[in-house]
Amino acid sequence: MRFLPGHHLRQLIGLFAMLLTLATSAQTTRVSGKVVDGVSGELLPFVNVGFLDTRISTNTDFDGLYKLETYYATDSIRATCLGYRPVTIKVKKDQAQVIDITMQPSSGELKEVVVTYLENSAFAVLRQVVRNKPANNRAKLAAYEYESYNKVEFDLNNITEDFKNKKLFKDFKFIFDYVDTTTTKESLPIFMTETLSDVYYRQDPKTRREIIRGNRISGIENESITQFMGDMYQNVNVYENFLTLFGKNFVSPVADGGSQHYDYLLVDSNWVDHAWCYQIRFKPKHQQQLCFSGEMWINDTSFAVRRLDAGIEPGTNINFVQELKVHQEYDQVAHEVYMLTKDQLMVDLNPLRDDGEVAKNPIQGFYGRRNASYKEFKINQPKEEAFYNGVSEVIVDEDPLSESADFWDQHRHTQLSKRESDIYQMVDTMKRTPKFRNFMDLISTVVTGYYTSGQVEIGPYFNLYSFNPVEGNRFRIGMRTSNKFSKRIEYTGFLAYGTLDEEFKYGLGAQGFISKDPRQLLGVFYTRDIEQLGQSINAFKQDNILSSFLRRSPNNKLTLVDEFKVTYERDWFQGFSTAILFRERTLYPRGDLVYLRFRDLETSPVSISSIRTSEIAVNTRYAYREKFVSGTFRRVSLGSKYPAFELHTAFGLKNIFGSNYEYEKIIARVSQRIPTGVFGNLRYAAETGRVFGTLPYPLLIVHPGNETFYYDESAYNTMNFFEFISDRYASLSLQQHFDGYFLNRIPLLRRLKWREVIGVKGLIGDLDRKHASELLFLPIMRRLNDGPFVEASAGLENVFKVLRIDGIWRLTYRDSPRASLFALRVKLNINF
């Protein structure tokens, strides 16, 4: 086999890349040619040539030549001229081509034509909108860039006189001087943020980069508000078939097959700026369906959306949202290129009322407002290759002057109103009021579980008391340093005592940032505490008070664990992170749990007091474009629409710190939430793992069971603790959340806003008998050697707007002792 020389190979690769770029970015259709008389062969001037079923056309010049170039091509062009028969010719879309047209003279007189139109007149326009979606989607462009300005504001609404006169506000009544009386409900601003950034997009290879030039925040900051802001920042792309807002899939008014979900009415046609447009109104076909009502203006040539005003109908199956309004404006920023230039979102949120009606006794809620504008567009002018290098999609490069008011007066796209300008002064004054700070501390305690006292936080309060058959009544006090102590290092500790075992449990630890960009966190921890082996990571902690009250069987097989660990976490780029840890663990059986093993030449097993192991583990996670709500040291994932991949590897280190075992463990997992349109969303999780080595059962895979009445999505809810054990396994979990698609169509159930959910979980695995030489298996333990373990479920979400209730059927291994053939489980499930 012969190889090309290096410089020829590089030239070939460069040529291939150039051709590939042209193939992917050149999405315009270019047609040119001449028109001639089919009899005389003469060139014909003033012949109209245009794409079929569009208003995109041109006339031949004096030499009979024509040229068409557009994103909005159809599959044919048509030539017409008085005295000649029309000619229709197929074209190749998204390509440049030369087509010469020959026209034949016509003869005969014109006959009367009667046209009768029976279809909804809006449908003809909407078909063109759907057909031109690829052309109107900005992803068609080879490259673009623009300046983005975002302003998000939160207001407390329903400000009544009774509310103003509450004793709570006695020391800061001045805040009511800033009440906005121009809105439907009087409102008081509590939070506002402004962000200025430059956004860059390249199609091939697809790259998006946002450089934040300035950010200004004023108001009450906590993670709950920030999480809601994550939904506020979602862009509503009207050209998508389904628009995701607050975790729900709303059908777009210009969705493919939108007539199945909407009623349309062509109302008018008029000028919008310098373009002639059609006005179409729309509303949902079915009550409570996740659709919008409103109107839009459609350009008559490009069939691009120029204006959109949409909202939700009262009674729509979404919680806590009394009103939602979307306003968008699209402008032509280059030839046949329409871009979103104004995007406004307003949400009226009320956690205690969502019937969409004004109550006789108003309950305070929130307005969330997002105003975004975009300008300074550059189309098809890509940057140098080096500009797009790097893995971070969002880069913070704030101007040192961005903290000043002068910077924002100069750069914000629209100046603040007086009311908005006063927010900064009002909030800063309010935050200095002692009573207000105490009020916010109380709210923070409820949300986070910790009470802040100066440089220390005490909690969590739901772990202060619990009980179990091993410890009896358990009392616990925990503390950690607050942000007032440091935002770079945090110390933690707890002390617990059981009245039955009369034993203290405790823990100490510290974690600190090596750097915040990229995120690098180093931690050292030591704990001595009770654990339940075989409990999922999502289950309540053993000392949570709810875990004590919701048990369905005595929790008498516990383990006392001494653990020392050192952890290092690093984010490599958005969505990709690694955690490395070293830990040394000593496990002591407690309650009815006993470690037994046969020794050489002995006929009966002997008791083993403990198991000790040391290991190094590496955990890697990748979720493309995953976003987080971040506190100072902790963060919560907002998820990603792409799959999340996780890989866990661990290596046992024999004779290190007295470790008894050498082993390798590997576990791989993939999970995703897939929108399924009007049918809600499908959530799946697939996992597989293998343990190498000969180990006692606490170090093997103890499959997660659930011995409480609380539904655990990560466990098998009809499986008991320690019931199944493996050293190699694979599992699959599927859940379909219908978001009320079927129940919304039943009149008697519609008002309840219940939502259907079904699921199935399966598990296969096996276990080598050699592990029994290290530790005898418990009598209740089984191998998965008779086929897969399977359980199926059906349930209702949104019961009383906060509960999920599932019925779960155990389909296999129904002969196991204490097997739950059917289980009813309840879960606190608060979402939109």
Side-chain angles (χ1 to χ4, degrees), residues 153-159 163-164 169 172-181 183 185-191 220 365-367 369 419 423 426-427 430 436:
E153 178 185 335
F154 281 87
D155 301 345
L156 186 68
N157 63 25
N158 276 330
I159 305 298
F163 181 79
K164 295 177 184 178
F169 304 111
F172 43 95
K173 280 185 174 294
F174 68 89
I175 64 175
F176 297 115
D177 295 336
Y178 299 90
V179 168
D180 184 1
T181 60
T183 53
K185 305 172 185 177
E186 292 190 9
S187 58
L188 177 69
I190 59 173
F191 179 93
I220 303 164
F366 296 92
Y367 280 135
R369 296 186 179 94
R419 183 188 65 84
I423 291 177
M426 183 271 290
V427 170
M430 186 168 58
F436 178 79

mmCIF file of all heavy atoms in Angstrom, residues 153-159 163-164 169 172-181 183 185-191 220 365-367 369 419 423 426-427 430 436:
data_model
loop_
_atom_site.group_PDB
_atom_site.id
_atom_site.type_symbol
_atom_site.label_atom_id
_atom_site.label_comp_id
_atom_site.label_asym_id
_atom_site.label_seq_id
_atom_site.Cartn_x
_atom_site.Cartn_y
_atom_site.Cartn_z
ATOM 1 N N GLU A 153 -36.198 40.077 36.087
ATOM 2 C CA GLU A 153 -36.697 40.758 37.291
ATOM 3 C C GLU A 153 -37.742 39.881 37.976
ATOM 4 O O GLU A 153 -38.549 39.218 37.315
ATOM 5 C CB GLU A 153 -37.320 42.097 36.905
ATOM 6 C CG GLU A 153 -37.930 42.876 38.076
ATOM 7 C CD GLU A 153 -38.644 44.138 37.619
ATOM 8 O OE1 GLU A 153 -38.293 44.650 36.539
ATOM 9 O OE2 GLU A 153 -39.552 44.595 38.335
ATOM 10 N N PHE A 154 -37.695 39.855 39.303
ATOM 11 C CA PHE A 154 -38.709 39.166 40.090
ATOM 12 C C PHE A 154 -39.381 40.168 41.013
ATOM 13 O O PHE A 154 -38.704 40.949 41.699
ATOM 14 C CB PHE A 154 -38.098 38.030 40.912
ATOM 15 C CG PHE A 154 -37.845 36.796 40.104
ATOM 16 C CD1 PHE A 154 -36.660 36.637 39.414
ATOM 17 C CD2 PHE A 154 -38.803 35.797 40.009
ATOM 18 C CE1 PHE A 154 -36.426 35.527 38.654
ATOM 19 C CE2 PHE A 154 -38.578 34.675 39.254
ATOM 20 C CZ PHE A 154 -37.392 34.532 38.580
ATOM 21 N N ASP A 155 -40.717 40.119 41.022
ATOM 22 C CA ASP A 155 -41.507 41.007 41.865
ATOM 23 C C ASP A 155 -42.444 40.174 42.732
ATOM 24 O O ASP A 155 -43.002 39.175 42.267
ATOM 25 C CB ASP A 155 -42.370 41.964 41.024
ATOM 26 C CG ASP A 155 -41.532 42.834 40.096
ATOM 27 O OD1 ASP A 155 -40.312 42.897 40.303
ATOM 28 O OD2 ASP A 155 -42.105 43.429 39.164
ATOM 29 N N LEU A 156 -42.613 40.592 43.961
ATOM 30 C CA LEU A 156 -43.647 40.036 44.823
ATOM 31 C C LEU A 156 -44.954 40.733 44.477
ATOM 32 O O LEU A 156 -45.024 41.966 44.479
ATOM 33 C CB LEU A 156 -43.287 40.276 46.289
ATOM 34 C CG LEU A 156 -44.185 39.637 47.351
ATOM 35 C CD1 LEU A 156 -44.048 38.126 47.324
ATOM 36 C CD2 LEU A 156 -43.828 40.187 48.733
ATOM 37 N N ASN A 157 -46.008 39.959 44.122
ATOM 38 C CA ASN A 157 -47.253 40.600 43.699
ATOM 39 C C ASN A 157 -48.381 40.369 44.706
ATOM 40 O O ASN A 157 -48.193 39.743 45.746
ATOM 41 C CB ASN A 157 -47.650 40.161 42.281
ATOM 42 C CG ASN A 157 -47.949 38.673 42.167
ATOM 43 O OD1 ASN A 157 -48.322 38.017 43.135
ATOM 44 N ND2 ASN A 157 -47.783 38.146 40.961
ATOM 45 N N ASN A 158 -49.556 40.886 44.367
ATOM 46 C CA ASN A 158 -50.703 40.893 45.276
ATOM 47 C C ASN A 158 -50.374 41.645 46.573
ATOM 48 O O ASN A 158 -50.613 41.159 47.693
ATOM 49 C CB ASN A 158 -51.173 39.469 45.600
ATOM 50 C CG ASN A 158 -52.111 38.922 44.535
ATOM 51 O OD1 ASN A 158 -52.839 39.683 43.891
ATOM 52 N ND2 ASN A 158 -52.093 37.617 44.342
ATOM 53 N N ILE A 159 -49.792 42.834 46.419
ATOM 54 C CA ILE A 159 -49.434 43.654 47.581
ATOM 55 C C ILE A 159 -50.685 44.422 48.015
ATOM 56 O O ILE A 159 -51.052 45.439 47.423
ATOM 57 C CB ILE A 159 -48.287 44.631 47.240
ATOM 58 C CG1 ILE A 159 -47.083 43.860 46.681
ATOM 59 C CG2 ILE A 159 -47.887 45.430 48.465
ATOM 60 C CD1 ILE A 159 -46.479 42.883 47.639
ATOM 61 N N PHE A 163 -51.420 43.351 53.705
ATOM 62 C CA PHE A 163 -50.053 42.844 53.645
ATOM 63 C C PHE A 163 -49.073 43.931 54.083
ATOM 64 O O PHE A 163 -48.119 43.668 54.827
ATOM 65 C CB PHE A 163 -49.744 42.383 52.217
ATOM 66 C CG PHE A 163 -48.362 41.815 52.047
ATOM 67 C CD1 PHE A 163 -48.064 40.525 52.441
ATOM 68 C CD2 PHE A 163 -47.348 42.579 51.473
ATOM 69 C CE1 PHE A 163 -46.786 39.992 52.280
ATOM 70 C CE2 PHE A 163 -46.074 42.068 51.308
ATOM 71 C CZ PHE A 163 -45.795 40.767 51.714
ATOM 72 N N LYS A 164 -49.308 45.178 53.643
ATOM 73 C CA LYS A 164 -48.414 46.275 54.001
ATOM 74 C C LYS A 164 -48.423 46.548 55.503
ATOM 75 O O LYS A 164 -47.414 46.978 56.068
ATOM 76 C CB LYS A 164 -48.813 47.548 53.262
ATOM 77 C CG LYS A 164 -48.663 47.473 51.748
ATOM 78 C CD LYS A 164 -49.157 48.771 51.103
ATOM 79 C CE LYS A 164 -49.108 48.707 49.597
ATOM 80 N NZ LYS A 164 -49.625 49.948 48.963
ATOM 81 N N PHE A 169 -43.303 44.025 58.646
ATOM 82 C CA PHE A 169 -42.717 45.093 57.852
ATOM 83 C C PHE A 169 -42.642 46.422 58.606
ATOM 84 O O PHE A 169 -42.407 47.464 57.982
ATOM 85 C CB PHE A 169 -43.521 45.285 56.558
ATOM 86 C CG PHE A 169 -43.643 44.028 55.744
ATOM 87 C CD1 PHE A 169 -44.864 43.391 55.601
ATOM 88 C CD2 PHE A 169 -42.541 43.477 55.126
ATOM 89 C CE1 PHE A 169 -44.986 42.241 54.854
ATOM 90 C CE2 PHE A 169 -42.646 42.320 54.376
ATOM 91 C CZ PHE A 169 -43.874 41.702 54.235
ATOM 92 N N PHE A 172 -39.386 48.395 58.035
ATOM 93 C CA PHE A 172 -38.968 48.747 56.670
ATOM 94 C C PHE A 172 -40.167 48.963 55.763
ATOM 95 O O PHE A 172 -40.245 48.431 54.658
ATOM 96 C CB PHE A 172 -37.985 47.715 56.081
ATOM 97 C CG PHE A 172 -38.331 46.277 56.328
ATOM 98 C CD1 PHE A 172 -39.030 45.533 55.393
ATOM 99 C CD2 PHE A 172 -37.945 45.656 57.504
ATOM 100 C CE1 PHE A 172 -39.324 44.211 55.612
ATOM 101 C CE2 PHE A 172 -38.243 44.326 57.735
ATOM 102 C CZ PHE A 172 -38.933 43.599 56.784
ATOM 103 N N LYS A 173 -41.085 49.789 56.262
ATOM 104 C CA LYS A 173 -42.248 50.152 55.448
ATOM 105 C C LYS A 173 -41.869 50.974 54.225
ATOM 106 O O LYS A 173 -42.663 51.111 53.283
ATOM 107 C CB LYS A 173 -43.263 50.924 56.300
ATOM 108 C CG LYS A 173 -44.141 50.039 57.189
ATOM 109 C CD LYS A 173 -45.194 50.865 57.895
ATOM 110 C CE LYS A 173 -46.167 49.978 58.661
ATOM 111 N NZ LYS A 173 -46.966 49.131 57.747
ATOM 112 N N PHE A 174 -40.653 51.534 54.230
ATOM 113 C CA PHE A 174 -40.237 52.364 53.097
ATOM 114 C C PHE A 174 -40.251 51.575 51.786
ATOM 115 O O PHE A 174 -40.333 52.160 50.702
ATOM 116 C CB PHE A 174 -38.831 52.915 53.350
ATOM 117 C CG PHE A 174 -37.756 51.858 53.347
ATOM 118 C CD1 PHE A 174 -37.109 51.506 52.171
ATOM 119 C CD2 PHE A 174 -37.390 51.213 54.525
ATOM 120 C CE1 PHE A 174 -36.131 50.542 52.164
ATOM 121 C CE2 PHE A 174 -36.411 50.242 54.519
ATOM 122 C CZ PHE A 174 -35.771 49.910 53.346
ATOM 123 N N ILE A 175 -40.157 50.247 51.869
ATOM 124 C CA ILE A 175 -40.093 49.471 50.626
ATOM 125 C C ILE A 175 -41.385 49.606 49.818
ATOM 126 O O ILE A 175 -41.375 49.463 48.591
ATOM 127 C CB ILE A 175 -39.802 47.983 50.900
ATOM 128 C CG1 ILE A 175 -40.942 47.327 51.695
ATOM 129 C CG2 ILE A 175 -38.476 47.815 51.615
ATOM 130 C CD1 ILE A 175 -40.761 45.827 51.877
ATOM 131 N N PHE A 176 -42.499 49.909 50.493
ATOM 132 C CA PHE A 176 -43.774 49.991 49.778
ATOM 133 C C PHE A 176 -43.902 51.287 48.970
ATOM 134 O O PHE A 176 -44.856 51.439 48.210
ATOM 135 C CB PHE A 176 -44.929 49.845 50.763
ATOM 136 C CG PHE A 176 -44.943 48.495 51.451
ATOM 137 C CD1 PHE A 176 -44.739 48.389 52.820
ATOM 138 C CD2 PHE A 176 -45.132 47.338 50.715
ATOM 139 C CE1 PHE A 176 -44.729 47.153 53.447
ATOM 140 C CE2 PHE A 176 -45.138 46.093 51.338
ATOM 141 C CZ PHE A 176 -44.923 46.006 52.702
ATOM 142 N N ASP A 177 -42.926 52.183 49.137
ATOM 143 C CA ASP A 177 -42.896 53.355 48.258
ATOM 144 C C ASP A 177 -42.525 52.962 46.831
ATOM 145 O O ASP A 177 -42.711 53.754 45.896
ATOM 146 C CB ASP A 177 -41.882 54.390 48.783
ATOM 147 C CG ASP A 177 -42.287 54.962 50.134
ATOM 148 O OD1 ASP A 177 -43.498 54.932 50.442
ATOM 149 O OD2 ASP A 177 -41.402 55.419 50.877
ATOM 150 N N TYR A 178 -41.989 51.747 46.663
ATOM 151 C CA TYR A 178 -41.549 51.290 45.356
ATOM 152 C C TYR A 178 -42.547 50.329 44.703
ATOM 153 O O TYR A 178 -42.227 49.700 43.690
ATOM 154 C CB TYR A 178 -40.188 50.589 45.482
ATOM 155 C CG TYR A 178 -39.105 51.478 46.013
ATOM 156 C CD1 TYR A 178 -38.866 51.576 47.382
ATOM 157 C CD2 TYR A 178 -38.325 52.238 45.157
ATOM 158 C CE1 TYR A 178 -37.870 52.399 47.887
ATOM 159 C CE2 TYR A 178 -37.326 53.065 45.645
ATOM 160 C CZ TYR A 178 -37.096 53.144 47.012
ATOM 161 O OH TYR A 178 -36.119 53.966 47.495
ATOM 162 N N VAL A 179 -43.728 50.211 45.279
ATOM 163 C CA VAL A 179 -44.744 49.305 44.722
ATOM 164 C C VAL A 179 -45.182 49.800 43.343
ATOM 165 O O VAL A 179 -45.433 50.999 43.147
ATOM 166 C CB VAL A 179 -45.953 49.188 45.675
ATOM 167 C CG1 VAL A 179 -47.122 48.507 44.974
ATOM 168 C CG2 VAL A 179 -45.555 48.416 46.924
ATOM 169 N N ASP A 180 -45.267 48.883 42.385
ATOM 170 C CA ASP A 180 -45.717 49.189 41.033
ATOM 171 C C ASP A 180 -47.228 48.980 40.967
ATOM 172 O O ASP A 180 -47.713 47.854 41.142
ATOM 173 C CB ASP A 180 -45.009 48.276 40.030
ATOM 174 C CG ASP A 180 -45.360 48.615 38.583
ATOM 175 O OD1 ASP A 180 -46.134 49.567 38.370
ATOM 176 O OD2 ASP A 180 -44.863 47.918 37.681
ATOM 177 N N THR A 181 -47.965 50.038 40.714
ATOM 178 C CA THR A 181 -49.433 49.957 40.661
ATOM 179 C C THR A 181 -49.947 49.880 39.231
ATOM 180 O O THR A 181 -51.163 49.874 39.016
ATOM 181 C CB THR A 181 -50.053 51.179 41.369
ATOM 182 O OG1 THR A 181 -49.609 52.378 40.714
ATOM 183 C CG2 THR A 181 -49.658 51.216 42.833
ATOM 184 N N THR A 183 -49.416 47.377 37.112
ATOM 185 C CA THR A 183 -49.674 46.006 36.692
ATOM 186 C C THR A 183 -51.038 45.540 37.192
ATOM 187 O O THR A 183 -51.665 46.197 38.032
ATOM 188 C CB THR A 183 -48.584 45.068 37.232
ATOM 189 O OG1 THR A 183 -48.478 45.255 38.654
ATOM 190 C CG2 THR A 183 -47.242 45.383 36.595
ATOM 191 N N LYS A 185 -51.767 43.181 39.162
ATOM 192 C CA LYS A 185 -51.644 43.035 40.615
ATOM 193 C C LYS A 185 -50.500 43.935 41.072
ATOM 194 O O LYS A 185 -49.421 43.923 40.468
ATOM 195 C CB LYS A 185 -51.324 41.576 40.981
ATOM 196 C CG LYS A 185 -52.312 40.560 40.429
ATOM 197 C CD LYS A 185 -51.787 39.150 40.671
ATOM 198 C CE LYS A 185 -52.696 38.113 40.023
ATOM 199 N NZ LYS A 185 -52.156 36.740 40.182
ATOM 200 N N GLU A 186 -50.729 44.711 42.106
ATOM 201 C CA GLU A 186 -49.665 45.557 42.620
ATOM 202 C C GLU A 186 -48.471 44.687 42.999
ATOM 203 O O GLU A 186 -48.618 43.624 43.599
ATOM 204 C CB GLU A 186 -50.149 46.353 43.833
ATOM 205 C CG GLU A 186 -51.190 47.398 43.492
ATOM 206 C CD GLU A 186 -51.477 48.325 44.669
ATOM 207 O OE1 GLU A 186 -50.740 48.247 45.673
ATOM 208 O OE2 GLU A 186 -52.425 49.119 44.571
ATOM 209 N N SER A 187 -47.278 45.152 42.634
ATOM 210 C CA SER A 187 -46.098 44.312 42.815
ATOM 211 C C SER A 187 -44.943 45.117 43.378
ATOM 212 O O SER A 187 -44.838 46.325 43.180
ATOM 213 C CB SER A 187 -45.694 43.662 41.494
ATOM 214 O OG SER A 187 -45.443 44.652 40.502
ATOM 215 N N LEU A 188 -44.053 44.385 44.072
ATOM 216 C CA LEU A 188 -42.883 44.983 44.710
ATOM 217 C C LEU A 188 -41.639 44.279 44.200
ATOM 218 O O LEU A 188 -41.487 43.065 44.365
ATOM 219 C CB LEU A 188 -42.963 44.833 46.226
ATOM 220 C CG LEU A 188 -41.766 45.348 47.033
ATOM 221 C CD1 LEU A 188 -41.694 46.867 46.968
ATOM 222 C CD2 LEU A 188 -41.853 44.875 48.484
ATOM 223 N N PRO A 189 -40.714 44.987 43.548
ATOM 224 C CA PRO A 189 -39.506 44.329 43.025
ATOM 225 C C PRO A 189 -38.605 43.828 44.146
ATOM 226 O O PRO A 189 -38.396 44.528 45.145
ATOM 227 C CB PRO A 189 -38.824 45.432 42.214
ATOM 228 C CG PRO A 189 -39.354 46.715 42.777
ATOM 229 C CD PRO A 189 -40.746 46.429 43.239
ATOM 230 N N ILE A 190 -38.082 42.604 43.977
ATOM 231 C CA ILE A 190 -37.189 42.039 44.988
ATOM 232 C C ILE A 190 -35.869 41.565 44.393
ATOM 233 O O ILE A 190 -34.936 41.258 45.130
ATOM 234 C CB ILE A 190 -37.851 40.872 45.747
ATOM 235 C CG1 ILE A 190 -38.247 39.756 44.763
ATOM 236 C CG2 ILE A 190 -39.041 41.345 46.555
ATOM 237 C CD1 ILE A 190 -38.759 38.504 45.459
ATOM 238 N N PHE A 191 -35.795 41.479 43.071
ATOM 239 C CA PHE A 191 -34.580 40.946 42.455
ATOM 240 C C PHE A 191 -34.497 41.432 41.012
ATOM 241 O O PHE A 191 -35.500 41.463 40.301
ATOM 242 C CB PHE A 191 -34.616 39.412 42.478
ATOM 243 C CG PHE A 191 -33.413 38.754 41.833
ATOM 244 C CD1 PHE A 191 -32.313 38.402 42.584
ATOM 245 C CD2 PHE A 191 -33.403 38.488 40.478
ATOM 246 C CE1 PHE A 191 -31.215 37.799 41.989
ATOM 247 C CE2 PHE A 191 -32.308 37.887 39.871
ATOM 248 C CZ PHE A 191 -31.216 37.540 40.640
ATOM 249 N N ILE A 220 -32.532 39.774 46.417
ATOM 250 C CA ILE A 220 -32.471 38.630 47.313
ATOM 251 C C ILE A 220 -31.962 37.442 46.523
ATOM 252 O O ILE A 220 -32.606 36.991 45.589
ATOM 253 C CB ILE A 220 -33.862 38.333 47.895
ATOM 254 C CG1 ILE A 220 -34.384 39.569 48.618
ATOM 255 C CG2 ILE A 220 -33.823 37.138 48.806
ATOM 256 C CD1 ILE A 220 -35.869 39.526 48.887
ATOM 257 N N GLY A 365 -47.831 36.193 45.448
ATOM 258 C CA GLY A 365 -47.103 35.363 44.506
ATOM 259 C C GLY A 365 -45.956 36.165 43.909
ATOM 260 O O GLY A 365 -45.494 37.149 44.496
ATOM 261 N N PHE A 366 -45.504 35.758 42.735
ATOM 262 C CA PHE A 366 -44.352 36.408 42.107
ATOM 263 C C PHE A 366 -44.627 36.669 40.632
ATOM 264 O O PHE A 366 -45.271 35.874 39.948
ATOM 265 C CB PHE A 366 -43.101 35.527 42.221
ATOM 266 C CG PHE A 366 -42.636 35.292 43.624
ATOM 267 C CD1 PHE A 366 -43.068 34.180 44.336
ATOM 268 C CD2 PHE A 366 -41.773 36.172 44.236
ATOM 269 C CE1 PHE A 366 -42.648 33.953 45.630
ATOM 270 C CE2 PHE A 366 -41.340 35.962 45.535
ATOM 271 C CZ PHE A 366 -41.791 34.849 46.233
ATOM 272 N N TYR A 367 -44.118 37.799 40.164
ATOM 273 C CA TYR A 367 -43.976 38.033 38.738
ATOM 274 C C TYR A 367 -42.520 37.729 38.373
ATOM 275 O O TYR A 367 -41.591 38.206 39.035
ATOM 276 C CB TYR A 367 -44.251 39.491 38.362
ATOM 277 C CG TYR A 367 -45.709 39.874 38.256
ATOM 278 C CD1 TYR A 367 -46.174 41.065 38.822
ATOM 279 C CD2 TYR A 367 -46.609 39.073 37.564
ATOM 280 C CE1 TYR A 367 -47.508 41.439 38.708
ATOM 281 C CE2 TYR A 367 -47.949 39.440 37.446
ATOM 282 C CZ TYR A 367 -48.387 40.617 38.022
ATOM 283 O OH TYR A 367 -49.704 40.976 37.908
ATOM 284 N N ARG A 369 -40.123 38.325 35.116
ATOM 285 C CA ARG A 369 -40.078 39.000 33.823
ATOM 286 C C ARG A 369 -38.684 38.850 33.219
ATOM 287 O O ARG A 369 -37.686 39.105 33.878
ATOM 288 C CB ARG A 369 -40.395 40.489 33.953
ATOM 289 C CG ARG A 369 -41.803 40.812 34.442
ATOM 290 C CD ARG A 369 -42.025 42.316 34.371
ATOM 291 N NE ARG A 369 -43.354 42.703 34.801
ATOM 292 C CZ ARG A 369 -43.674 43.083 36.027
ATOM 293 N NH1 ARG A 369 -42.732 43.109 36.944
ATOM 294 N NH2 ARG A 369 -44.910 43.429 36.332
ATOM 295 N N ARG A 419 -38.795 53.234 37.889
ATOM 296 C CA ARG A 419 -39.077 52.164 38.852
ATOM 297 C C ARG A 419 -37.959 51.135 38.871
ATOM 298 O O ARG A 419 -37.512 50.697 39.940
ATOM 299 C CB ARG A 419 -40.408 51.487 38.491
ATOM 300 C CG ARG A 419 -40.831 50.390 39.473
ATOM 301 C CD ARG A 419 -42.042 49.652 38.949
ATOM 302 N NE ARG A 419 -41.715 48.930 37.722
ATOM 303 C CZ ARG A 419 -41.165 47.715 37.714
ATOM 304 N NH1 ARG A 419 -40.873 47.109 38.844
ATOM 305 N NH2 ARG A 419 -40.912 47.114 36.576
ATOM 306 N N ILE A 423 -34.820 50.076 41.925
ATOM 307 C CA ILE A 423 -34.697 48.753 42.536
ATOM 308 C C ILE A 423 -33.348 48.609 43.228
ATOM 309 O O ILE A 423 -33.257 48.110 44.360
ATOM 310 C CB ILE A 423 -34.879 47.648 41.479
ATOM 311 C CG1 ILE A 423 -36.327 47.618 40.984
ATOM 312 C CG2 ILE A 423 -34.495 46.277 42.048
ATOM 313 C CD1 ILE A 423 -36.569 46.597 39.884
ATOM 314 N N MET A 426 -33.373 50.554 46.512
ATOM 315 C CA MET A 426 -34.317 49.997 47.486
ATOM 316 C C MET A 426 -33.809 48.689 48.075
ATOM 317 O O MET A 426 -33.835 48.475 49.286
ATOM 318 C CB MET A 426 -35.674 49.787 46.810
ATOM 319 C CG MET A 426 -36.766 49.266 47.754
ATOM 320 S SD MET A 426 -36.850 47.465 47.850
ATOM 321 C CE MET A 426 -37.483 47.079 46.219
ATOM 322 N N VAL A 427 -33.333 47.792 47.217
ATOM 323 C CA VAL A 427 -32.904 46.480 47.699
ATOM 324 C C VAL A 427 -31.671 46.600 48.579
ATOM 325 O O VAL A 427 -31.567 45.949 49.621
ATOM 326 C CB VAL A 427 -32.653 45.537 46.503
ATOM 327 C CG1 VAL A 427 -31.973 44.256 46.966
ATOM 328 C CG2 VAL A 427 -33.962 45.218 45.799
ATOM 329 N N MET A 430 -32.797 47.785 51.908
ATOM 330 C CA MET A 430 -33.573 46.761 52.598
ATOM 331 C C MET A 430 -32.655 45.689 53.198
ATOM 332 O O MET A 430 -32.872 45.209 54.317
ATOM 333 C CB MET A 430 -34.561 46.144 51.614
ATOM 334 C CG MET A 430 -35.541 45.161 52.228
ATOM 335 S SD MET A 430 -36.874 44.744 51.062
ATOM 336 C CE MET A 430 -35.947 44.098 49.673
ATOM 337 N N PHE A 436 -35.196 42.524 58.398
ATOM 338 C CA PHE A 436 -35.310 41.892 57.088
ATOM 339 C C PHE A 436 -34.287 40.763 56.965
ATOM 340 O O PHE A 436 -34.586 39.693 56.430
ATOM 341 C CB PHE A 436 -35.089 42.923 55.986
ATOM 342 C CG PHE A 436 -35.152 42.332 54.604
ATOM 343 C CD1 PHE A 436 -36.374 42.049 54.010
ATOM 344 C CD2 PHE A 436 -33.986 42.042 53.914
ATOM 345 C CE1 PHE A 436 -36.429 41.500 52.746
ATOM 346 C CE2 PHE A 436 -34.037 41.486 52.647
ATOM 347 C CZ PHE A 436 -35.266 41.216 52.064
#
